[in-house]
Amino acid sequence: MRDTSTTETSSGRAEFRSSRPSLLLAGIAAALLSLAGPAHAAPAKDPLPADIPDYQAALDTVRSTDVRNAVCRFLSTPLPAGDGGPVQTIPETADSCQGLPAFTIKDPVALNEITPGFVAGTAKPLPTEAVKLTQLVSSLSATVNGRNATVMLAPTQGGGWHLAAIRDGDSDATYAGRATLGTLVFSEPQIRGWYQLKLTTVEPLNDQAREGLGGRAAVSLSDYQQLVKARYADKLPGSPYDAGGYSSGYDPQEKTDDTSSHTPLLAGGSGAALVLAGGAAAIIRRRRRACSG
């Protein structure tokens, strides 16, 4: 299982919980999420999401030349052949985007994940305790040479956001973007499951999530907590499973890529990703080791 308390981190990341205003559902005022932290009081016509802190900084980051060049370098590098292939360096060029079709990076959306306390059963089965904002994700406006990519931003200590990784495909951003007024989308990263939370009802959005709910179309948040507790409570930080090196969903032998502790691990993915370590960019491929129940 991936360690949800430290996954997707970088050297500048600070622990935080986002704040989300009360949402109205069919005229019923319901506080869907109000994660701890200072609220961003957004006027009715404020174009910046009220649930994402320092969102303008996130927009500035994904629109920056540095991030665009990083995406171009990623898309210009062939995917590694075979599972667990060697690291491939990305050559520096004067114009990283030269020869690539035109594209833009979409505005980032929230990537929410279940919390360790919810998994352990120590947190109440409430939206405010079950889910937290961990990263922001953006996809591209168009495919480039048949490929898409997801830009992943992590919070910067002291405020703001920075580029954490770029990964192949756009499923994370696609699912995360399905949140609507009155609903919240979140991930169970250990199985790559995506769910929609409507008040205290959990509904699956993909096959992995449906399997995670035992084929049911919906469960209560309380019932969902019992499911994830049974799956992962004995695999949290400090557990024998964690001590054995499996908390990130990877066998320790598969963590020998030339990446440091400042390099964000990818959420149970098996595709290629651009990771940033010590200022250098490299393409890596990791295998996902499925967590046993």
Side-chain angles (χ1 to χ4, degrees), residues 25-224:
L25 283 178
I28 302 175
L32 180 60
L33 269 184
S34 181
L35 301 178
H40 170 67
K45 295 183 179 181
D46 188 345
L48 304 183
D51 57 331
I52 299 176
D54 299 317
Y55 191 71
Q56 185 60 56
L59 289 174
D60 293 342
T61 299
V62 298
R63 295 169 182 172
S64 68
T65 300
D66 287 346
V67 168
R68 182 176 180 81
N69 287 340
V71 172
C72 288
R73 292 198 301 273
F74 176 81
L75 295 171
S76 298
T77 304
L79 293 175
D83 204 16
V87 171
Q88 299 182 30
T89 59
I90 302 176
E92 292 288 344
T93 59
D95 183 0
S96 302
C97 299
Q98 184 176 2
L100 292 179
F103 68 89
T104 58
I105 303 174
K106 295 180 181 179
D107 292 350
V109 294
L111 192 158
N112 300 293
E113 298 180 352
I114 52 177
T115 67
F118 180 73
V119 172
T122 57
K124 295 180 180 180
L126 298 171
T128 52
E129 301 293 330
V131 177
K132 69 176 180 180
L133 172 66
T134 59
Q135 286 196 321
L136 302 181
V137 289
S138 304
S139 59
L140 308 185
S141 62
T143 57
V144 177
N145 296 338
R147 294 172 61 187
N148 209 315
T150 295
V151 175
M152 309 181 77
L153 304 183
T156 300
Q157 187 173 5
W161 298 85
H162 63 271
L163 177 63
I166 302 170
R167 58 186 300 178
D168 211 54
D170 62 354
S171 60
D172 284 353
T174 298
Y175 282 116
R178 292 179 63 174
T180 61
L181 181 64
T183 71
L184 174 71
V185 170
F186 69 92
S187 170
E188 182 184 334
Q190 297 80 6
I191 63 171
R192 299 291 292 161
W194 285 92
Y195 304 85
Q196 190 169 52
L197 180 61
K198 299 179 179 179
L199 291 181
T200 58
T201 299
V202 178
E203 299 178 358
L205 294 178
N206 63 357
D207 290 341
Q208 293 92 324
R210 279 184 281 275
E211 184 177 351
L213 298 185
R216 285 171 284 183
V219 300
S220 69
L221 189 57
S222 179
D223 287 344
Y224 176 68

Side-chain angles (χ1 to χ4, degrees), residues 226-253:
Q226 295 307 309
L227 291 173
V228 294
K229 182 179 179 181
R231 284 199 280 268
Y232 313 124
D234 61 344
K235 301 176 179 64
L236 291 171
S239 66
Y241 189 88
D242 175 51
Y246 293 97
S247 289
S248 293
Y250 301 106
D251 184 274
Q253 299 302 315

